[in-house]
Amino acid sequence: MTQDHSTEAPAARGDRIAKWLARSGVCSRRDAERLIAEGKVQLNGAPVTHPATFVDEGDIVQVEQKVVGAPDRTRLWRYHKPDGLVTTHRDPEDRPTVFDSLPPGMPRVISVGRLDLNSEGLLLLTNDGALARRLELPSNGWIRRYRVRVFGVVDERALASLIKGSVFEGVRYGPIIAALDSRKGDNAWLTVSLKEGKNREIRKVMAGLNLHVSRLIRTSYGPFPLGTLKRGELEEVTGKVIREQIAGLAGGKTPRGA
C-alpha cells in the first residue's frame, strides 16, 4: 500500500495509522504519532513517514520490527472501581492505577470519563477510543447517578436548589438533582444525579453547602448500572447490548464488529 498524505481519505480507505495502532492496543494515538516521528513504524516493509498514512485490510504493520495484529472488534466492560486507584495509564506520582488492576489478557482499554482517586463504583472501559468519546458527549443526555455520603448538616432546600445550577468559588456548575436518602447523626447518604460533570464537581458543590464528602460511589452511567459487581470485578457488555444502546447516539456509526 502507498502512503497518502492527503487530509481526506476515500470512502473505502481504512484508518489513519496512528488511530489504527491505538485501536490495536499498542499505545495511545499521540504516542503512535511519536513512534512514527522516531521512524519506528513500518507499513508493508516501508518506513512510515507521516501520520496521515492509511492502513487497509491485509496490510502488515510493524512497530520496532514487531508485527502488530489487526484491531479487535469494539468491546465494552463494566468495572467496579475501588477507591485508591487513579484512572490514568501513567501516573507521575506512581500511584496504583485502574489499568494495573485489570486481569491478565485484557486488551489495552481506556476509560469512559474518570473517577478520581477516592471515588468508587461504575467505570466503563473500552478498547475503542472513538466509542469512549461518543459515550462522554453531553448531547447524549445520559444521566450519571451516585450515592454520596456526607458529613455535616444537610439543608434539603439547598440540595433541591442545585437543580437550577449553582456557582461556587467563581465556577458555574450545571443542574444537579440531589436528594437526602437517610441521616444518622452528622452523617447522611444522598442520591446525586447529573448529565455532565466537571472535575471533582460533586465534592466541590457539596463543599459549597458546607458538606464534606466522605464516600462517593457511581451507581450508573446512562443505561449501564453498577448492579451487583463487587469491588474490582469486571464484566463485559454483550455485543447485542452495545448495538442497542450505542447505535442511536450522536456521533454516527455503529461500533465496529459489535
Side-chain angles (χ1 to χ4, degrees):
M1 161 163 184
T2 58
Q3 296 188 16
D4 186 339
H5 299 173
S6 63
T7 56
E8 293 188 5
R13 187 65 55 89
D15 286 335
R16 292 190 181 216
I17 194 162
K19 178 180 178 181
W20 191 95
L21 288 169
R23 285 177 46 202
S24 299
V26 171
C27 57
S28 69
R29 196 178 306 188
R30 181 175 298 177
D31 285 344
E33 291 173 352
R34 176 181 55 78
L35 290 171
I36 291 168
E38 294 172 354
K40 296 180 179 179
V41 180
Q42 292 182 309
L43 179 64
N44 297 328
V48 176
T49 58
H50 198 284
T53 297
F54 290 82
V55 181
D56 286 331
E57 186 175 354
D59 285 341
I60 298 174
V61 178
Q62 293 172 278
V63 174
E64 298 182 301
Q65 308 302 317
K66 295 181 180 179
V67 175
V68 179
D72 194 1
R73 62 181 175 84
T74 292
R75 300 172 71 184
L76 182 70
W77 290 263
R78 295 161 47 242
Y79 172 67
H80 188 157
K81 176 194 174 295
D83 61 357
L85 299 178
V86 293
T87 312
T88 182
H89 282 275
R90 297 176 184 173
D91 182 57
E93 299 178 37
D94 203 28
R95 294 171 296 184
T97 75
V98 163
F99 306 100
D100 293 334
S101 73
L102 299 178
M106 278 285 291
R108 184 185 186 277
V109 292
I110 58 176
S111 63
V112 178
R114 294 193 174 193
L115 287 173
D116 64 36
L117 175 70
N118 296 316
S119 298
E120 55 192 291
L122 180 66
L123 187 66
L124 297 179
L125 304 172
T126 180
N127 63 341
D128 187 332
L131 176 63
R133 289 190 293 275
R134 286 175 64 192
L135 299 190
E136 292 169 350
L137 290 174
S139 57
N140 294 329
W142 278 8
I143 295 174
R144 309 168 197 186
R145 290 188 174 86
Y146 302 80
R147 289 206 72 216
V148 183
R149 186 175 67 192
V150 295
F151 177 82
V153 178
V154 176
D155 182 334
E156 294 190 64
R157 288 187 179 181
L159 277 185
S161 72
L162 296 177
I163 197 170
K164 301 175 183 177
S166 56
V167 178
F168 294 107
E169 296 185 347
V171 179
R172 178 170 294 279
Y173 298 99
I176 294 175
I177 300 173
L180 176 66
D181 289 339
S182 62
R183 179 164 35 202
K184 186 175 181 180
D186 290 330
N187 287 287
W189 279 99
L190 314 176
T191 294
V192 178
S193 304
L194 65 163
K195 291 184 179 179
E196 180 182 5
K198 294 183 172 68
N199 184 38
R200 298 177 65 82
E201 177 169 335
I202 293 175
R203 296 180 188 277
K204 291 176 181 179
V205 168
M206 292 303 154
L209 300 181
N210 297 314
L211 298 171
H212 169 72
V213 173
S214 56
R215 197 171 178 192
L216 191 151
I217 308 166
R218 183 151 65 199
T219 57
S220 67
Y221 191 109
F224 299 102
L226 177 64
T228 58
L229 284 179
K230 298 177 182 177
R231 287 164 52 91
E233 193 172 8
L234 186 76
E235 184 174 279
E236 186 166 1
V237 177
T238 66
K240 180 176 183 292
V241 171
I242 294 176
R243 289 192 299 272
E244 290 174 348
Q245 300 296 343
I246 309 303
L249 292 182
K253 300 180 290 184
T254 301
R256 61 178 189 275

